[in-house]
Amino acid sequence: MTAVKNVPNLLNSYRMQRLFPQGRAAIICPIDHGIIFPRALMRGLEDPVAVLNRLSAHGATGFMLSPGLVKQTQVELGQASHLSRVMALDGFYNLTDAATGIGNLIATVEDAVRLGVDCVKLLMPWNVSTQEKVNLTERLGKVVSDAAKWDMPVMIEPVLLGEPRSKEVIAAEFEVARIAYDIGADIVKIAFPGPDYTAKLVQELKVPLVIAGGPMTGSFEDAVREVRDTVAAGAQGLIVGRNVWSREPAEAERMMAELNRIARENYVAR
Amino acid sequence: MTAVKNVPNLLNSYRMQRLFPQGRAAIICPIDHGIIFPRALMRGLEDPVAVLNRLSAHGATGFMLSPGLVKQTQVELGQASHLSRVMALDGFYNLTDAATGIGNLIATVEDAVRLGVDCVKLLMPWNVSTQEKVNLTERLGKVVSDAAKWDMPVMIEPVLLGEPRSKEVIAAEFEVARIAYDIGADIVKIAFPGPDYTAKLVQELKVPLVIAGGPMTGSFEDAVREVRDTVAAGAQGLIVGRNVWSREPAEAERMMAELNRIARENYVAR
Amino acid sequence: MTAVKNVPNLLNSYRMQRLFPQGRAAIICPIDHGIIFPRALMRGLEDPVAVLNRLSAHGATGFMLSPGLVKQTQVELGQASHLSRVMALDGFYNLTDAATGIGNLIATVEDAVRLGVDCVKLLMPWNVSTQEKVNLTERLGKVVSDAAKWDMPVMIEPVLLGEPRSKEVIAAEFEVARIAYDIGADIVKIAFPGPDYTAKLVQELKVPLVIAGGPMTGSFEDAVREVRDTVAAGAQGLIVGRNVWSREPAEAERMMAELNRIARENYVAR
Amino acid sequence: MTAVKNVPNLLNSYRMQRLFPQGRAAIICPIDHGIIFPRALMRGLEDPVAVLNRLSAHGATGFMLSPGLVKQTQVELGQASHLSRVMALDGFYNLTDAATGIGNLIATVEDAVRLGVDCVKLLMPWNVSTQEKVNLTERLGKVVSDAAKWDMPVMIEPVLLGEPRSKEVIAAEFEVARIAYDIGADIVKIAFPGPDYTAKLVQELKVPLVIAGGPMTGSFEDAVREVRDTVAAGAQGLIVGRNVWSREPAEAERMMAELNRIARENYVAR
Amino acid sequence: MTAVKNVPNLLNSYRMQRLFPQGRAAIICPIDHGIIFPRALMRGLEDPVAVLNRLSAHGATGFMLSPGLVKQTQVELGQASHLSRVMALDGFYNLTDAATGIGNLIATVEDAVRLGVDCVKLLMPWNVSTQEKVNLTERLGKVVSDAAKWDMPVMIEPVLLGEPRSKEVIAAEFEVARIAYDIGADIVKIAFPGPDYTAKLVQELKVPLVIAGGPMTGSFEDAVREVRDTVAAGAQGLIVGRNVWSREPAEAERMMAELNRIARENYVAR
C-alpha cells in the first residue's frame, strides 16, 4: 500500500469546515456551564447572552452552548452567522464527587440538527463507577451512531471530574482520549495536558484536537504561554471560557486579542 | 386584547436570522439553474463553483443552490460560514411549455437538514393543468409539513413559466403569491412586479418577501433602478443571479457593489 | 474567502477510495448489459461469469454489474476482493426507441448496501418524453437521498439512447451531465465526448468523471488513442466492456494491457 | 437422507469470501484494543494507523478495528481494498475483574453496513454475574438478528476475562464456544486452546474457527509452533495482534512472514 | 347455536399441519440444549449435526433447534424437507437455581419467519421471582402477538426448573400450563405428568399437547411404557431428545423404532 494522506471522516463536511476556519486555530468560547456549575464557580457568566454578545465581537470563532442557550440565542447567533455553535448534550453530573456521579443526555442529535448547530459535545468522565462507565460508553456510542446519519460531528471530552491537575490526572485523561477516539469521536477536547502530550495526541489520533484552558489560574502571561505552547504543538482549536469571561472586561478583551494573534501566528495546519 | 406586533412564524429562528442580516436587504445569488436551464440560457454559470467563489467575495449574503451543488461546495461555503444557503428541492420542469410541464421533488427536507442548509425553496408554476395544480399544492403542503418538524424555512416562488412579463402575467403571479402564503410559505419569492405590487405583498402577507430580477435585460441603470424601487417598497431580499454572473467580471463586480449600497441605504425594516 | 481546495463530498469515504485507486485511472468493466440488451448486441457476454473471471485476471479494477450478477458472483468477487463493484439499479429501457422509453428501478440502495457493493449506477436517458423526464429526475433524486444515508456513491450516466454518435448528440449529453451533477451525482459517467468536452466536464463539475467507450468500432489503434486522450484530459476512470469482451481473447488481453499502461502513464490526478 | 456437504449459512456470501481467502488461513490483525486496554498493555499500538500501514504491507489479510478506527481509516483501507475489516461492536468491559464486568454495545449493525465492513465482532465473557449473562446473550442475539437482515457475518469470542490460561479456563472457554454457536455465531473466535480442542471445535461446530494468540509470551519459536498446530488442526484464520505489533519492527516482519508461510503450507480446507 | 367442533386457532395452517402429521403422534427431537446445558449434561450431543443426521434417518418427524442450529443446518434439513423445525427463542437461564434465574430472548419471530421454521418455542419457568414472572409473561405475550402477524405457531413449556419430579412439582406445572394457554400458546409442551394429568390437559386446553420425556432415567421398558401411556392419554406429540441421543447408537435406534410404533398404534386423534 502506498502511503496515503489520512483525512478524518467528516473533515470535508460543511459543519466541520465551519468549526475550523482555515489557516488558524479555532477559538470556541464555552458558556454552557449553567447545567452543572454552581453560581459561585461561574462568576462572570450570570448573564450568558451578555457574555456571548461581548465575546462574539472580540474574535471568538464559535461558542459552546447548552440546549437552552442554543434555543434562546437564535437571533444573536443567527445574525452573527459566521460563528460556529457546539451544543452540549450532557445533563447532570456530580461535579465534585465523580465516584457517585451518574450522567445522562438531555438532548438528542435530532435536536441539534433541527436547531442547525455545527457539532454536538459530550463529557466523558472516567473517574466513575464501573456501571457508569458502561452506561457512559453506551451513550457515547449511541450519539456517534445517530450523528453519522446526519453528518453531525461529535466532540468528546475525556475528563477526571473534580480532580486536581496532577501529573497522574493528566496522564489518565491522556489515556482516556484514546478510548474516545476508538468509540468514534470526530473531535477530541481535552484540558491542556502540556505541549508533549498535546503533540502525542495530535500524532496518534489525527482527528482535530481542541484544548480547554480550564479555570483562570496563574497570571495573564502564564495563560498566554500555555496557549502558545498548545497551538504550536498542533492543537486545531482552543476552548476558552472562564479564562476570558471571568476576567475584567478590559483584560478579557486583551486576552481575546492575544489569543487571536497566537491562533494565527503559531498555528500548524494538520 | 392589546395590539400585539405580528411576527411571522419562524422569523426569530436561527435559520431565518442567517438568511436575513439585520439592517439591510439580503442579497442571495441563485446558481441552481443547471437542473432546468439549457446551457445557452445560463452563460456565465458553466463553472458554478467558480461563480460562487467570485460572488462570495463581492457582497452576496447567501446562495441558492441545487442539491448537487450543496453537496459539492461544503468546503467553500463551510469556510465562508457567514453566507446563507437556500436549497432548491424542485426537479424537472418544462421551462418553455408550462401547459405540459409537470414538476416533482428531487430532494427532501431531511436532506436539507442533514446538509445544514438554511432554507428550502420550491417553484410554484401556476399556468399548468388542473391535475398538475393538484399535485403541486400537495407537494408544497408536504414540504411545509415536513419542514415544520425541523424548523426549516420554506421559500415558495409563484411563477407563470415561459410567459412574457406582461401586466396580466404580473397580476396573476401576484395573485398566486397569496396561495403560497395560505399553503404556509415562510418566505415568498417573486419576479419583480413593480413597486406597487411589492408594497401590497409586503403589507398583506407580512412574511418576508424576496424579489427576483430575472434575466439580464435592459441597461445597467435600468436594473439598478428596479432594484432600488424594490427595496424601497419593502422587499427584504434580492435574488440576483443572471443579472450578475452573466455580465463581464468587472461589470458584475460593479453591479454587486451597487446592489449592496442599495440593500443598505434604501432598506426598510419590517 | 481564501481559495479552498474543493473535495467532492464522499471522496474520502471507503467506497470512493475502493473505486478510485490512487495514482491511476480506474478500469471498470461493465457486464450488466443483460437487462436491456438483446443477445445479438452483447456477443461475448453470453456467460457473464466467465467474462468476469477472465477480465479480473487482466487488470480490471472493478466491474459494473446487474443486481442478479452481484448476487450470483459473491464467491468470485469476494475472493478477488481488491476489485470494486458498481451495481446498476435501472430496470427496463426501450433501447432503440427512447421517445417511448420508460424507465424504472429494479433494486434499491438498501439492496446495494446489504450486498456490500461500492457504488450504485443509474442511466439518465434524456431523449424521452416530458413525463418520463419528470419520473426519471424524481427517481434519481430519491436514490441520491437514500444513498446519502448509507455513504453510498451514486454514479449517473447522461445518455441519448439509440442515437448515432453525432456532434449534436455528444453536445446534448454534455449538457445533461450538468443536470446529473445538480441532482447530486457523486460520479458522472459519459460516453466519450472527445478530449475537449472531457476537459470541460472535469473542470466544471469537479466530481470524478468516468468515460465509457461504447461498442467496438474502428481499429485497435483508434480505440487506444481515444482512451489515451480521455485519460490525459482528466478522466478518473474508464468504463470498458464491449471494447474488451467482444474481442477475441488474445486481442482482449492485449487491449487490457494497453489500457492499464495508459491508465497509469497518462493519468492526471485531480 | 443422502449425505449432504454442510456449508455454514453465510459462507458463500461476499463478505465471508472477503474474510477467508481461498487456499490459506486468514491473518486478521486486531488493533481495536484502545477501548478496553490501558496504554501499558498495548505497547506498540500507540499510533494505530501507523501499525495498520506497516502490517498491511506484510501479509495481513484483514484488520479488526474499533468503530472509531473504521471511521478514520477509510482512505488507507479503501486504497488497500483487498484487506478485510472486522468491526468490534463492544464497549466497555472491566478487563481485570470480570465478576463486576458489565458489557454493552457502542455501535450497531447498521453502522457496520454503512461503513462497508465485512464482519462485526463481539466479546462473550462468561465469568460474569447471572444478570450480565442474561444481558450478554440478549445483546448477542439482537446483533445476530440484525446482522441477518444485512448478510453481515457475526464473529463471537467466548472468553473468561482476566483469568490465567489454566487447563480449567481453556476447558470453560471451549464449552462457551458451543453457546456462541447455538446463539448463531457465523464465526467463532477463541484464544488458542491447544490442537485437540481446536480440532474438536472444528469438527463439532463447523462454522469457521479463528484462533487468537493473545499477548506475546514465550519465544518466537514457541509462538510459531503454536500457530502451526492451530492451522494444522483446522483453524481457518489467525488473529494476531500483540504478537506482532508489540515486537520490534524487524522481528514483527519476520513473524508475519512466518505466519504467512504457515497459513498457506499447513492450511486444511474445511 | 348448533354444536360446533372446536378447532384450535392455527390448527389448519400450513405450519401446524407440518408439525403434526395425520394419523400419528409427532416425534420431535430436541437438540437445542447447547445454550443452557453444560457439556456434561448433554453427552451424545457434542456434534449436533451428526445427531441430526442419525435421527432424521430413524423416524423423527421434526427437530427442536437453537437459532444457530437452524442457520447452520439449512442444507441438511432443506434436503430432509418432510421434517418439521421448532426454533427455541430462549436465551440464558440459570438451570440449577431458578430463583436467581432470569430469562431473555435471543431471537425474534421475524428471524423464525425468515428462516422458514414451523414453530417457535419458549420456556416458561415458574419457580422464579415475582419480578421475573412479570418479565416472563410480558415476553411470552410479545412473542404471541408477533407470531400472530406471521401465522407462526407458538409452543410454550411450563416448567419448574431444577426441581425433582415430585408430585407437587408435577401438580404445579400442570397448573402453569393453564397460564400458558391463557397467554395464547398454540401448543403446550410439558414434562410427562402421568396419564391422568395428560388426559385432563388434553380435555381442558384442547390445543395440541406435546410431552417431553426429560433425561434418560430408568430402564428402556420404563421409558417405553411411559410413552405409551402418554400417547394413549391424548398427547399429539413426543419430545424425545436425551432419551434417544444419550443412548448407545444401537439402543437409540431400537428406541426410535419403538417410539414410532407407539406413535402410530396408540395414537388418539383429537
Side-chain angles (χ1 to χ4, degrees), chain A residues 57-190:
Chain A
H58 288 104
T61 67
F63 286 93
M64 187 169 295
L65 306 154
S66 63
L69 265 171
V70 170
K71 272 178 77 170
Q72 305 302 351
T73 60
Q74 296 190 57
V75 170
E76 284 83 355
L77 289 173
Q79 286 298 324
S81 60
H82 60 291
L83 297 174
S84 66
R85 296 181 302 159
V86 177
M87 185 165 104
L89 301 186
D90 310 300
F92 180 74
Y93 269 107
N94 196 333
L95 197 64
T96 50
D97 181 7
T100 64
I102 304 171
N104 58 358
L105 296 181
I106 57 165
T108 65
V109 171
E110 278 74 14
D111 290 329
V113 172
R114 177 173 44 77
L115 290 162
V117 303
D118 303 301
C119 185
V120 293
K121 186 254 174 188
L122 293 149
L123 278 181
M124 185 179 177
W126 208 245
N127 51 340
V128 294
S129 69
T130 296
Q131 177 62 56
E132 172 57 6
K133 280 182 187 169
V134 170
N135 296 347
L136 171 61
T137 51
E138 193 170 309
R139 286 198 306 273
L140 295 175
K142 175 75 163 58
V143 168
V144 168
S145 283
D146 290 350
K149 295 171 201 152
W150 296 103
D151 292 358
M152 175 64 71
V154 179
M155 182 189 291
I156 299 183
E157 176 177 7
V159 66
L160 267 59
L161 278 179
E163 300 285 337
R165 302 302 300 155
S166 67
K167 275 171 70 166
E168 290 71 25
V169 165
I170 288 171
E173 289 182 356
F174 167 72
E175 286 226 16
V176 184
R178 172 65 177 267
I179 307 178
Y181 168 84
D182 274 301
I183 286 174
D186 296 297
I187 303 166
V188 170
K189 178 189 169 197
I190 200 164

Side-chain angles (χ1 to χ4, degrees), chain D residues 88-153:
Chain D
L89 301 186
D90 311 297
F92 179 75
Y93 270 107
N94 195 332
L95 199 63
T96 50
D97 181 8
T100 64
I102 304 169
N104 58 1
L105 296 181
I106 56 164
T108 66
V109 171
E110 278 74 14
D111 290 328
V113 173
R114 178 174 43 76
L115 290 163
V117 302
D118 303 301
C119 185
V120 293
K121 185 254 173 187
L122 294 149
L123 278 181
M124 184 179 178
W126 208 246
N127 51 339
V128 294
S129 69
T130 296
Q131 177 62 57
E132 172 58 7
K133 279 181 188 169
V134 170
N135 297 346
L136 170 61
T137 51
E138 194 170 309
R139 286 198 305 272
L140 295 175
K142 175 73 163 60
V143 168
V144 168
S145 283
D146 290 349
K149 295 171 203 153
W150 297 104
D151 292 359
M152 175 65 71

Side-chain angles (χ1 to χ4, degrees), chain D residues 1 4-6 8-9 130-131 134 137-138 141 145 148 174-175 178-179 181-182 184-186 203-204 206-207, chain E residues 34-35 38-39 45-48 53 66-69 71-72 74-76 79-80 92 100 102 104 106 111 114:
Chain D
M1 187 171 70
V4 173
K5 181 160 168 54
N6 181 46
N9 180 44
T130 296
Q131 177 62 57
V134 170
T137 51
E138 194 170 309
S145 283
F174 168 72
E175 286 225 17
R178 172 63 178 268
I179 307 177
Y181 169 84
D182 275 301
D186 296 297
Q203 164 61 23
E204 295 178 0
K206 294 178 181 73
V207 296
Chain E
I35 286 193
R39 197 169 176 92
L45 192 62
E46 290 82 1
D47 180 343
N53 281 332
S66 63
L69 265 171
K71 271 176 80 169
Q72 305 303 353
Q74 298 190 60
V75 170
E76 283 83 353
Q79 287 296 328
F92 178 76
T100 64
I102 304 169
N104 59 0
I106 56 164
D111 290 328
R114 177 174 43 77

Side-chain angles (χ1 to χ4, degrees), chain C residues 203-263:
Chain C
Q203 163 61 23
E204 294 178 0
L205 304 191
K206 293 176 184 73
V207 296
L209 188 77
V210 297
I211 304 284
M216 193 182 69
T217 55
S219 66
F220 185 97
E221 284 67 30
D222 286 353
V224 164
R225 188 174 353 95
E226 211 171 78
V227 168
R228 190 183 303 118
D229 289 352
T230 301
V231 173
Q236 300 295 297
L238 300 166
I239 309 294
V240 278
R242 281 173 284 175
N243 236 317
V244 174
W245 46 250
S246 68
R247 293 179 191 273
E248 290 303 305
E251 198 170 287
E253 202 172 313
R254 191 160 68 98
M255 174 65 93
M256 284 298 280
E258 193 63 18
L259 294 182
N260 264 289
R261 205 178 51 76
I262 294 168

Side-chain angles (χ1 to χ4, degrees), chain E residues 37-53:
Chain E
F37 278 63
R39 197 169 176 92
L41 288 185
M42 54 172 193
R43 205 144 288 167
L45 192 62
E46 290 82 1
D47 180 343
V49 176
V51 170
L52 183 153
N53 281 332

Side-chain angles (χ1 to χ4, degrees), chain A residues 4 6 134 145 182 186 204, chain D residues 39 66 68 71-72 75 104 111:
Chain A
V4 172
N6 183 43
V134 170
S145 283
D182 274 301
D186 296 297
E204 294 178 0
Chain D
R39 197 169 175 92
S66 63
K71 272 177 78 168
Q72 304 302 353
V75 171
N104 58 1
D111 290 328

Side-chain angles (χ1 to χ4, degrees), chain C residues 177-200:
Chain C
R178 172 65 177 267
I179 307 177
Y181 168 84
D182 275 299
I183 286 175
D186 296 297
I187 303 166
V188 170
K189 177 189 169 196
I190 200 164
F192 182 52
D196 292 352
Y197 275 127
T198 299
K200 257 190 204 168

